[in-house]
């Protein structure tokens, strides 16, 4: 049972029921498209007239459109509805320690155009390049872009729109939302990369994940971050600082320093850099760019034993941290995202064995799954920051 929050209860308005019905209809169209008004009425028990009125509103707002006709069940053939995907409505900006990607997507989250550049350690330079690309993409789309979502690899306060601390570049208290909004005139939503990817999994992930009310997303990249979905929403904690499990201590003498500088954090044992350091040690020679983590996974997939061994050992440490999260949170699922998800065929057993070994004594375990968000999960995350607000309920259901 949820305790009633009196501060929020005061804000409940008379049209709350109407808002709830609107979100129900919109989400039926999103998940079951193409779908007719009659099908929505059958599945929801809402009045046909209520649904028709809501659909008219959603059409006017440009969220839903009519597409052709469905099978007749005796009378007139019903008109089918789907999400309106004729134009780009969101811009996503995924800032990672190496590359920044700026892309547009439609309402369904499909990426339309994308551009990228190497992230500059100087915050002003990176933000200026972001602004140039956002301007260019919104000009190309002639006013259809509604908002910009930005994911950042560090501590972010979504309420103020500030990047509080980005360890890779030592950025502190950068007013990211304000700077971009001022320059491009669009609303900007920002979040930590792992939270953004967790949001993308919740809205656009595979059904085992998106249907779960409680799950944890573990993002393995230059660092290791976690996004916690609790009761169907991102759990943020004070100032958005929840989920910094990358810095929980799981050992000593990690193969690389953590982004915080210590050598005992989970991240220092389980990041892409940790796997690369293990590989370098195994083959007995230093590895240099352009050879990167992607190439390491490619080599492992091609059957190279050293590459496989480096990834399997990294997966064991990843499993140690996940075990701690499973014991503490008892989530329905844990999703592993990042390039490492491609290596699933040979890291899965190392991961699950470690987790099963630690989570015992009758405690429930969780399903461990690779992310299905594709090559750039943080970009999907950045886009979700804009798109999810279209479908999410503004009320506590
Ligand atoms: Zn650390």
């Amino acid at each position: 049972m949820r305790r009633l929050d009196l501060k929020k209860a005061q804000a409940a308005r008379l049209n709350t029921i109407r808002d709830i019905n609107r979100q129900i209809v919109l989400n039926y169209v999103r998940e079951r498209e193409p779908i007719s008004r009659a099908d929505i009425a059958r599945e929801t028990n809402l009045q046909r007239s209520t649904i028709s009125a809501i659909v008219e509103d959603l059409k006017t707002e440009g969220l839903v459109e009519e597409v052709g006709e469905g099978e007749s069940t005796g009378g007139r053939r019903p008109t089918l509805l789907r999400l309106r995907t004729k134009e780009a409505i969101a811009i996503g900006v995924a800032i990672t320690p190496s590359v920044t990607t700026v892309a547009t997507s439609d309402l369904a989250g499909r990426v339309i155009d994308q551009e990228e550049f190497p992230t500059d350690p100087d915050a002003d330079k990176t933000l200026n390049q972001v602004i140039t690309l956002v301007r260019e993409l919104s000009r190309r789309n002639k006013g259809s872009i509604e908002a910009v979502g930005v994911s950042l690899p560090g501590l972010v306060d979504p309420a103020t729109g500030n990047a509080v601390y980005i360890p890779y570049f030592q950025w502190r208290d950068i007013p990211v939302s304000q700077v971009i909004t001022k320059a491009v005139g669009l609303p900007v939503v920002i979040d930590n990369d792992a939270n953004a990817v967790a949001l993308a999994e919740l809205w656009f992930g595979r059904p085992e994940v998106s249907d779960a009310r409680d799950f944890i997303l573990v993002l393995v990249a230059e660092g290791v971050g976690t996004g916690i979905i609790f009761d169907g929403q991102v759990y943020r904690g004070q100032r958005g600082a929840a989920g910094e499990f990358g810095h929980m201590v799981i050992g000593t003498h990690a193969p690389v320093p953590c982004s915080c500088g210590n050598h005992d954090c989970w991240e220092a044992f389980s990041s892409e850099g940790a796997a690369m350091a293990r590989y370098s040690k195994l083959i007995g020679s230093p590895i240099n760019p352009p050879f990167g983590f992607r190439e390491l996974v490619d080599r492992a997939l091609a059957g190279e034993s050293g590459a496989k061994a480096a990834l399997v050992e990294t997966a064991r440490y990843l499993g140690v941290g996940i075990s701690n999260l499973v014991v503490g949170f008892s989530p329905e699922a844990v999703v592993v995202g990042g390039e490492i998800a491609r290596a699933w065929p040979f890291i899965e057993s190392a991961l699950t064995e470690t987790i099963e070994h630690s989570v015992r004594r009758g405690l429930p375990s969780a399903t461990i799954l690779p992310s299905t968000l594709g090559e750039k999960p943080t970009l999907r995350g950045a886009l979700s920051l804009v798109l999810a607000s279209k479908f999410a309920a503004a009320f506590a259901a």
Side-chain angles (χ1 to χ4, degrees), residues 246-247 258-260 262 265:
H247 305 291
C258 182
S259 59
C260 73
N262 293 335
C265 301

Side-chain angles (χ1 to χ4, degrees), residues 60-381:
T60 312
E61 288 170 52
L63 294 171
V64 161
E65 65 187 358
E66 292 181 344
V67 275
E69 292 176 335
E71 295 284 309
S72 166
T73 48
R76 202 156 58 90
R77 286 153 73 90
T79 308
L80 297 176
L81 304 164
R82 71 169 185 200
L83 289 185
R84 185 177 153 95
T85 51
K86 282 207 177 74
E87 65 233 339
I89 72 150
I91 289 181
V93 180
I95 299 178
T96 78
S98 53
V99 173
T100 294
T101 309
V102 181
T104 54
S105 91
D106 63 22
L107 187 58
R110 277 181 288 260
V111 172
I112 299 168
D113 270 333
Q114 63 173 303
E115 310 273 349
E116 60 176 49
F117 62 88
T119 307
D120 196 298
D122 181 309
D124 287 342
K125 284 184 183 158
T126 289
L127 289 181
N128 281 337
Q129 294 203 66
V130 166
I131 287 165
T132 304
L133 288 172
V134 168
R135 273 198 189 122
E136 163 62 23
L137 288 172
S138 42
R139 196 178 306 131
R140 234 184 267 172
N141 287 284
K142 299 185 183 68
S144 68
I145 302 296
E146 295 182 13
V148 181
V150 183
S151 80
L152 287 141
L155 206 54
V156 166
D157 185 354
T160 59
N162 290 356
V164 179
Y165 178 53
I166 310 298
Y168 306 93
F169 309 127
Q170 297 293 313
W171 293 355
R172 287 176 197 275
D173 295 312
I174 312 268
V176 174
S177 294
Q178 201 193 324
V179 169
I180 301 176
T181 296
K182 212 172 158 196
V184 304
L186 288 168
V188 176
V189 194
I190 74 170
D191 211 334
N192 158 269
D193 52 4
N195 282 348
V197 177
L199 193 70
E201 289 285 354
L202 179 66
W203 287 97
F204 302 100
R206 59 167 93 194
E208 298 98 299
V209 179
S210 58
D211 290 347
R213 301 291 293 171
D214 305 299
F215 70 85
I216 296 174
L217 178 282
V218 179
L219 181 66
V220 180
E222 285 87 347
V224 173
T226 54
I228 304 160
I229 298 291
F230 174 70
D231 199 16
Q233 58 187 336
V234 176
Y235 175 76
R236 301 185 177 283
Q238 291 288 342
R239 296 190 73 206
E244 288 293 311
F245 286 106
H247 305 291
M248 70 178 155
V249 175
I250 67 155
T252 50
H253 310 296
V256 289
C258 182
S259 59
C260 73
N262 293 335
H263 276 80
D264 45 15
C265 301
W266 184 28
E267 171 173 316
F269 286 92
S270 318
S271 63
E272 292 182 349
M276 300 278 280
R278 290 186 182 108
Y279 179 62
S280 170
K281 202 174 166 193
L282 279 166
I283 61 169
S285 79
I287 42 177
N288 297 307
F291 185 91
F293 187 71
R294 175 186 295 257
E295 285 70 27
L296 180 64
V297 174
D298 286 342
R299 283 192 187 181
L301 288 169
E304 195 190 307
S305 59
K308 274 190 186 175
L311 289 171
V312 167
E313 196 182 346
T314 305
R316 288 218 173 83
Y317 285 101
L318 196 58
V320 170
I322 291 175
S323 309
N324 290 336
L325 300 183
V326 170
V327 170
F329 285 97
S330 192
E332 277 178 57
V334 176
V335 188
V336 178
E339 196 76 43
I340 201 164
R342 283 204 297 133
W344 208 254
F346 48 84
I347 62 162
E348 184 180 10
S349 58
L351 259 180
T352 51
E353 276 164 24
T354 310
I355 294 162
E356 273 160 27
H357 179 75
S358 321
V359 183
R360 55 196 155 181
R361 291 184 287 270
L363 290 172
S365 192
T367 316
I368 315 295
L369 298 161
S371 169
T372 48
L373 292 177
E375 220 183 292
K376 290 199 165 165
T378 52
L379 175 63
R380 300 290 303 278

